[in-house]
Each structure stands twice: as structure tokens, then as C-alpha cells.
Amino acid sequence: MHLTDEPDSPAAAQIEFARFRDVDIRIGTIIEAAPLEGARKPALRLVIDFGPGVGAKKSSAQVTAHYAPEAIIGKQVAAVVNFPPRQIGKFMSEVLTLGFPDADNEIVMFSPDFPVPNGARLA
């Protein structure tokens, strides 16, 4: 999902901190990754372990330009875990894996610099 592809766009309107806290962003570890069959745009089908509080969740991510499925097993990524599930073709995506477009508009997944516990919430 792209909210904006323009790095020079102005900041969004201000919101209250309480509204921001309603978005539950957690860290999880990718435990499965494979091409998402039947997707209109190339994507990977991910299973991400968010620890005992959230559990393992499925996600569709359009990240094939930078990531091979076998190379991202064990990678920690950030995701929104409290959006409603979304049907992507025949696949039900349960969380929104977060990323940013690079200079070529290809998505780079958002990941911590150092290991953190699965399920850690953005502070």
C-alpha cells in the first residue's frame, strides 16, 4: 500500500497522539516467504511471527524487487497488526507490512537496526 509515492509531499495534517496510538505497529520475524500466486503485481506471501500476544499472521508484500523469499526468512519487520484483514486475490492478508519506496519506487521493508523481541510495539 502506498499512501504517497512522493518524497517531497508535505506532511499530513496534525493528529492527536491518542489517534496515533490506535495504530498498533509491532515487530515480527518472517518465518515463511513464497511468491504470491495470482497477484496482479508481483508480491510475496509472508507469515510473520509477532510472539505470543499477537501470534503468527499472514501478509502480502510487494517487495520482490529487493527481496528473494529464501533470503528474508528470519528478518524482522514492522507491521500494522490491527487493521481488518484484506483479500488480495485468493489470499487473505492479516497485517500490513510496512515499507518505504526507494528512488525507483520499489518497496524497502521497515526493519529495526538491532534485534528486538517479537511483538514489541512501536514506542
Side-chain angles (χ1 to χ4, degrees):
M1 171 188 295
H2 298 288
L3 298 179
T4 179
D5 292 333
E6 301 298 324
D8 296 330
S9 63
Q14 288 186 352
I15 61 170
E16 296 297 320
F17 186 71
R19 271 188 72 198
F20 170 73
R21 291 294 295 167
D22 287 342
V23 180
D24 193 350
I25 300 172
R26 306 276 183 124
I27 290 294
T29 299
I30 297 172
I31 57 174
E32 293 178 28
L36 180 58
E37 302 298 329
R40 286 191 310 239
K41 294 181 181 178
L44 296 180
R45 176 185 52 78
L46 308 176
V47 178
I48 306 168
D49 178 10
F50 293 98
V54 176
K57 299 291 182 181
K58 299 181 291 184
S59 183
S60 168
Q62 294 176 357
V63 296
T64 57
H66 291 300
Y67 305 100
E70 62 278 0
I72 60 173
I73 303 298
K75 180 177 182 59
Q76 286 196 300
V77 294
V80 176
V81 300
N82 67 331
F83 284 158
R86 184 171 179 190
Q87 191 76 41
I88 310 292
K90 295 181 180 180
F91 182 77
M92 183 63 73
S93 186
E94 299 173 303
V95 298
L96 175 63
T97 303
L98 299 177
F100 295 90
D102 67 9
D104 295 321
N105 211 32
E106 300 293 347
I107 301 299
V108 176
M109 289 188 287
F110 187 71
S111 184
D113 290 337
F114 302 99
V116 296
N118 284 341
R121 187 170 179 176
L122 181 69

